[in-house]
Amino acid sequence: AAEGGDPSSPEGADQAGGKRGGVNREFLSYEDFIFFMLSEEDKANEVSVRYWFSCVDVDGDGRLNNMEMRSFYAVQLHRMQCMGHEIVPFEDMLCQMIDMIKPKNSDHFVVEDFLRPECAQVSGALFDALFNLNKYLQFEQRDPFMERQKREDEFETDWDRFACIDYNRLAMEEEAREEEAMEIDWVTVDDEDEDGEDFNSLGLGGASEAPF
């Protein structure tokens, strides 16, 4: 458990988000950043669900009501307008989430609604809609074939999948940089050889016969 509280509880999530030990901070420690990345890339596990739930539950009553969700979604609506995306009204988004998550009370969500096994793979969609526009739009435009491949791949969690894909991406970028550096080295060597040949052709380098 993280210092200052259990990260699986809303209180612990608040502390991991920047209020550890009762001291407000305006920055993330390395530990905070890792906690956030795990929560961002794998919204299907209980710790992540409780973390994001506590972020939206502004009044701390254990329920996500329309007013709370609408206030966060307003930022995403503004981003959709700025990026030229088709606007998805809050009511349409909320109706879609209610159909997928099927909360016990349609007037609000409680954390238990997201933790049911049948909701594990879709519960993060609501938090993406409120916090991560790119992921929400990917969810909206998802390919059924790719989704089936995702369910049948070797990874047990979204975090494992993210870590593998990102590691391979970084490895390819590093390999490309090394190849580029080798090409620059070869070009430098070729230039030096050409300069040497020009120098010798002028009779300014190496041994030369005496004119007499």
Side-chain angles (χ1 to χ4, degrees):
E3 178 187 351
D6 179 3
S8 65
S9 68
E11 295 79 12
D14 286 341
Q15 291 168 349
K19 294 189 289 186
R20 194 180 309 282
V23 179
N24 290 320
R25 292 208 308 251
E26 296 181 356
F27 61 89
L28 290 177
S29 69
Y30 179 72
E31 182 182 349
D32 296 334
F33 177 73
I34 294 300
F35 186 94
F36 172 77
M37 284 298 297
L38 288 166
S39 298
E40 169 59 26
E41 297 300 337
D42 185 4
K43 294 185 175 76
N45 69 75
E46 181 177 352
V47 175
S48 298
V49 168
R50 292 186 181 278
Y51 171 81
W52 291 112
F53 188 93
S54 68
C55 290
V56 184
D57 185 19
V58 178
D59 58 13
D61 65 351
R63 300 176 180 180
L64 304 187
N65 58 54
N66 288 3
M67 185 174 66
E68 289 172 326
M69 291 184 285
R70 189 185 293 273
S71 65
F72 285 95
Y73 193 70
V75 179
Q76 306 307 328
L77 285 175
H78 178 68
R79 292 191 64 207
M80 288 182 202
Q81 293 174 337
C82 293
M83 297 170 67
H85 285 292
E86 181 181 355
I87 301 300
V88 181
F90 173 77
E91 291 75 14
D92 293 353
M93 181 279 294
L94 184 60
C95 183
Q96 179 187 24
M97 297 304 160
I98 290 176
D99 288 343
M100 290 193 308
I101 300 172
K102 297 178 174 59
K104 291 182 178 179
N105 190 323
S106 59
D107 291 334
H108 59 259
F109 292 98
V110 295
V111 72
E112 288 75 18
D113 293 329
F114 299 94
L115 297 178
R116 299 198 312 274
E118 62 270 23
C119 292
Q121 297 305 315
V122 297
S123 59
L126 173 62
F127 300 123
D128 283 336
L130 301 180
F131 292 103
N132 192 321
L133 180 60
N134 291 334
K135 285 188 176 181
Y136 175 58
L137 293 177
Q138 289 175 9
F139 175 79
E140 284 286 284
Q141 302 164 3
R142 61 193 182 282
D143 182 351
F145 177 73
M146 295 296 293
E147 286 297 305
R148 186 177 68 181
Q149 280 191 323
K150 183 177 173 181
R151 290 193 298 268
E152 295 175 354
D153 65 21
E154 60 185 306
F155 304 108
E156 295 183 1
T157 67
D158 289 338
W159 173 256
D160 293 337
R161 185 179 298 104
F162 164 79
C164 180
I165 293 173
D166 225 45
Y167 176 83
N168 289 333
R169 178 183 62 80
L170 291 172
M172 291 176 63
E173 290 178 358
E174 180 65 25
E175 183 178 350
R177 282 195 293 268
E178 291 177 355
E179 291 178 356
E180 184 180 352
M182 290 179 63
E183 290 177 359
I184 293 175
D185 289 342
W186 278 111
V187 170
T188 303
V189 171
D190 290 342
D191 289 345
E192 290 176 351
D193 290 343
E194 291 176 2
D195 291 343
E197 290 174 1
D198 293 342
F199 185 75
N200 290 330
S201 67
L202 296 174
L204 300 176
S208 61
E209 266 188 21
F212 304 103

